[in-house]
Amino acid sequence: MKTISRFAVLASVAAVAPAQSGPAPARLSSTAIRSPADLYGPLFQAVQQGHVFADGKTFVDAIPKRAADAIMADYAQAKPEGPALKAFILANFIVPGENDRGSGDLRSHVRTLWPQLVRQPAAPVAGSSALPLPAPYVVPGGRFREIYYWDSYFTMLGLKVDGQQPLVETMLDDFTSLIERYGHIPNGTRTYYLSRSQPPYYAMMLDLSTNTDPAVAKRRLAALRAEHAFWMKGETCVAGKPACLRVVRMPDGSVLNRYYDDRDTPRDESYAEDVATAAKAAPRPAADTQRNLRAGAESGWDFSSRWLRDPQSLTTIHTTDIVPVDLNSLLWVMERRIAARCQSAGDTPCATAFTTMATKRKTAIDRYLWQATTARYADWDLSTRKPTASINAAMLEPLFVGLASPAQAKAVAATVRRSLIAEGGLRTTTLKTGQQWDEPNGWAPLQWVAIAGLDANDEPALAKDIARRWIGTVGAAYAETGKMLEKYNIEQRTPGGGGEYPVQDGFGWTNGVASAILDRYPDLARPAG
């Protein structure tokens, strides 16, 4: 059966349209133009009377794939009913919301999505929760109507390779502005997100810039140092304590960091859920539970067995006890980038100070977070003074930022092969808990960290294998739904599940990582549909 595209239908209409020059054509009577009811008669009545589609407007907006007479001849012969009638319609029409998904290749589809996700700066309405931004930016999509911190780094990867460098620069201006106004980059641009940040990728975002203006470089360096000060503010109060704010004191006196939140109340955006979780956790103080829920949200992994004493119970969340390997890897690279930028600016004391900080952090990471006996990086539990048992994708962050030694990278790669490779990509953890940052969900940012980290550490075959599996998952879902999703079930290659809200489409970081992967491995591109 030959398919007639929408463009072909439009072209055929244009071909028979009267020319615009010469005498005006005679006006046609409304009754002379055949509507779907006229064209499809008994088929139309069967579809509408049988409520084949929930909305009566659906079928009448459908586009035939071939001539109406041919469709009706087949209908008269087959006389389909029930499910067979719907199958007949879908075989013969492009039906809005049913089978009108994109038919182009995945990367072309992503390029068409970028304009839909761009938002322009606007002054917030008095009394609203929105925080203003000075320049255009990209939102994730779905329920996420504002810019988000760590999402944006992975979105920007795709913008860069898709020829959207101006958006990369304006988003950097937005993040710089946020640090200048609030002292840090909040979780997202809402007032209710100001008490926490997210995984600090600003230093790595700056690597994506092509701006060489010295004044811009000076402003960005100042912002980067201010962000570092935000994460290290607890150094002034950690003496004699295991932790203060986002700073922790390790058993040997060295300093690492944790996720935290400046508030200990229910999250505005998940108020009822947090109240219910805290009530179930009683007699544990509600404020303690709520602080840890908020800290889990700062991690970006909200929520995961990484943060739970009992992997099957959210009421046991204790994020603030955990020293995460991904956070400390990102702070190490932040310190390294500050040192390099200070050196370029001729500020030798600054360069020396931050080089020393980075060296001390790496020593502490190697001592406490590197686990040679189990061939992995692990989070550290302050309450037990031991590494956690969680095997998860965060172990790849040291490879991604360039912190791991060749031997460490090789060992991590072996663990990834053994425990984290699924049919459709890289597992988040190895535990199925119902939380969205656990098995069986896979997430775009974790795939990219693994792919880029492994490729940079002499594991190109494993990196490409993960890329192939992930693009297969994203491509299969796109072919089925016409959408780019926030998360995926990588065991079954279906939309993901779990968490506090339905799976979202849009979707910023999935788009960005898909473009980045296909730019790196163009042979993985396949037409969808």
Side-chain angles (χ1 to χ4, degrees), residues 134-155:
Y137 56 95
V138 174
V139 300
R143 73 194 289 266
F144 301 110
R145 307 175 187 92
E146 50 283 310
I147 200 170
Y148 283 78
Y149 185 1
W150 81 307
D151 293 60
S152 295
Y153 171 72
F154 299 95
T155 299

Side-chain angles (χ1 to χ4, degrees), residues 366-529:
D366 284 340
R367 179 168 185 181
Y368 292 104
L369 308 185
W370 171 246
Q371 307 301 317
T373 55
T374 53
R376 65 188 176 105
Y377 285 95
D379 302 324
W380 179 269
D381 187 340
L382 290 171
S383 64
T384 63
R385 296 169 70 93
K386 295 189 300 186
T388 71
S390 175
I391 297 173
N392 61 71
M395 73 172 73
L396 286 146
E397 198 81 37
L399 282 67
F400 179 61
V401 302
L403 188 153
S405 70
Q408 289 168 328
K410 184 177 179 64
V412 168
T415 301
V416 168
R417 287 189 186 92
R418 183 171 60 251
S419 301
L420 294 180
I421 297 294
E423 177 68 23
L426 185 80
R427 294 187 176 102
T428 304
T429 70
T430 59
L431 299 179
K432 188 171 185 178
T433 66
Q435 301 301 332
Q436 64 174 350
W437 287 84
D438 277 319
E439 167 78 10
N441 284 345
W443 296 80
L446 304 184
Q447 311 299 314
W448 182 256
V449 166
I451 292 163
L454 289 163
D455 194 44
N457 285 273
D458 201 29
E459 293 285 349
L462 180 56
K464 188 170 184 179
D465 183 46
I466 293 170
R468 176 186 61 78
R469 291 169 186 267
W470 177 252
I471 286 295
T473 296
V474 174
Y478 169 59
E480 178 67 24
T481 68
K483 297 176 180 179
M484 302 291 284
L485 304 177
E486 179 193 19
K487 60 195 174 193
Y488 297 84
N489 180 321
I490 57 170
E491 305 296 343
Q492 300 179 1
R493 287 188 163 172
T494 58
E500 299 177 318
Y501 51 84
V503 65
Q504 300 293 300
D505 60 72
F507 194 88
W509 63 15
T510 304
N511 304 343
V513 169
S515 280
I517 289 173
L518 293 174
D519 187 72
R520 180 173 291 211
Y521 306 113
D523 59 304
L524 295 183
R526 295 286 185 274

Side-chain angles (χ1 to χ4, degrees), residues 291-309:
R291 173 97 67 190
N292 280 278
L293 289 167
R294 285 174 166 271
E298 182 171 82
S299 79
W301 291 47
D302 44 338
F303 294 105
S304 170
S305 57
R306 282 182 75 187
W307 319 126
L308 309 181
R309 294 188 194 280

Side-chain angles (χ1 to χ4, degrees), residues 157-174:
L157 293 172
L159 291 172
K160 187 172 184 68
V161 299
D162 283 343
Q164 300 288 337
Q165 189 65 32
L167 270 173
V168 172
E169 303 297 344
T170 57
M171 289 173 73
L172 282 170
D173 291 343
D174 288 329

